[in-house]
Amino acid sequence: MREKPSALLWWGLAFSIVALAIAVACAPSAPQGKKVATAVSDLAVAAQKTYVAPGDLDEYYMFASGGHSGNVYVYGVPSMRHLSTIPVYTPYPATGYGFDDESKAMLGRFTWGDVHHPSLSETKGDYDGRWLFVNDMNGRVARIDLRDFKTKQILGPIPNISGNHAAAFVTPNTEYSMMASRFSAPVPNVPKPIDSYASEYKGIVAAIKVDPASGEMSLGWEILMPPFDYDLGDAGKVASEGWMFWTSYNTERATGQLEVSASQRDRDYIAAVDWRAAEKAVADGKADTIGGVKVLDPKKVPGIVYFMPCGKSPHGVDVSPDGKYVIGSGKLQGVTTAFNWEKVQTAIRNQDFSGDEDGIPVLKYESIKDAEVPVGLGPLHTQFGPDGYAYTSLFVDSAIAKWKLGTWEVVDKVPMSYSIGHLSAAEGDTVSPDGKYLVGLNKLSHGRHLSVGPSQPESSQLVDISEEKMKLLYDAFTEPEPHYAQIIKADKLHPIEVYPKEENHHPLAVWDVKDAGVTRNGNQVTVKMVAVRSTLWPTSIAVKAGDVVKLAITNIEQTTDELHGFGLLDYNINVVVDPGETKTVTFKVDKPGVFPYYCTNFCSALHQEMQGYLVVDAR
Ligand code: RUQ
Ligand code: CUA
């Protein structure tokens, strides 16, 4: 599979670096008048570290959220090349997603979603390469199967959840994908006046159950929370396994112009949920059913949730690889706070509370914090390396700070262009992060690329974290909008390249061109079609206006890369079928005439001959 680069490639690489060095040295000035301040030798080293020679493969996959594009984008690291787009919540003509019956049914009534946090499935706190879960603000969670990089399930909208931002974080053995509502709303959702917000609106945290064998998601349980805005989450691990953490802002319970009204208090909260206790309480029958889901009320079931006070308007919460520290970043501060999990447990045991919020105990800040780390302005998210170092993104400072867990010393900073949001380290959310690479996922990119008009790309910057000093290696431009990404070692994934014939149990699949054809039952017409180089069988289909046609296309190829498409002119039908796959599309033929269909996906020298006619006679 993965080959070592040949001597020729090494020479090619050496040559490219020298050529690059010369080119940089000789360039009269950088584009758009910007000066390249970095020494040429540093650039050559950076180029070498990110260079993946032709024919060689990247060391990591990066799965980046595509925000309101509704997609997930796959990049190779360190090359930062865009390898693939996985459509999740949005139709994507390139793979026919959202056009065939199966994916159309998954999308339901939506044609968009807002993806924020990809979450790779884990076993013992380590990415296991099986599935990727991603959330959508419209209260949904999707599962992508990493065997074929396809979306297999979209669950939701989940009842009672309003604005599913704080998701789709998995627990260390993928027992659950966790979510929380960003916008509190009445639960159940019946109209209530906005001025009753503080008492009548509720937040929700929810656990989506994941089947350990199939990955199939189902409704788990929910907890009724005070009407705060729940923002980000992370599951406890090792020392803190069994707990889940969510940040919340607007603990002022304000409405209206939140930029003013929700930043009044000096502290907001991190909610700490004992999910094993919650699970048990549900099993013991302590939940009420609201909107079809088991919902726990912490007033009636004490001990399942606590509030940890945190710096003003926190955004990210991140648990260290050993689970001993919970890092909460108040985005309106110059520090990030490290909470000591042992101290949190002691405070819970000793009931060391400063008060409560709707019956949920609030722990004493001074009793549970270990340090306020002076990372810089606007801390958002933290990732970890293998050696006790933490990396925090600073939105206001537009930089990444590197600091040490335990000594709390800030040791290095690297500027980001511009205004970093999330950041993602290689295997950075696991119990054993790799270090090596860190990608800054920036919100803006002004001036770092050829101008493409007002709709500017997002910038993602690759940083080398293998040495004491961080080094910026590469500017890449990602599809909107990479809120978060996770980076997994490439050799953990073993994607298939064809669907094995013996696994295809589709009732309308046909594997021989002799079996392709049209059958009629009243006005219901079933077409079993075979796609194989270089014919779509049958080569013509005769129907009558008013018929409902169910077309099942089986691509009988078992060869890598041999995809076939089916585009039907005038009918807005576009299906792409991978080798060994069967897909169906159902449509009503409503106007008489002759409509060509053809293979949309280049497949052979005779791809252009792969065509036929749908003849619709008047009834
Ligand atoms: S957010 S920039 Cu949607 Cu994850 Cu933090
Ligand atoms: Cu089949 Cu082109």
Side-chain angles (χ1 to χ4, degrees), residues 115-117 165 169 231-232 315-316 380-381 395 420-422 441 443 483-484:
V115 177
H116 280 250
H117 307 107
H165 184 264
F169 318 106
D231 203 12
L232 260 304
H315 187 52
L380 292 184
H381 300 280
F395 181 79
I420 182 172
H422 275 276
L441 300 155
K443 296 299 181 195
H483 290 272
Y484 187 43

Side-chain angles (χ1 to χ4, degrees), residues 24-39:
V24 171
C26 299
S29 69
Q32 302 187 0
K34 280 193 304 295
K35 286 272 174 301
V36 176
T38 320

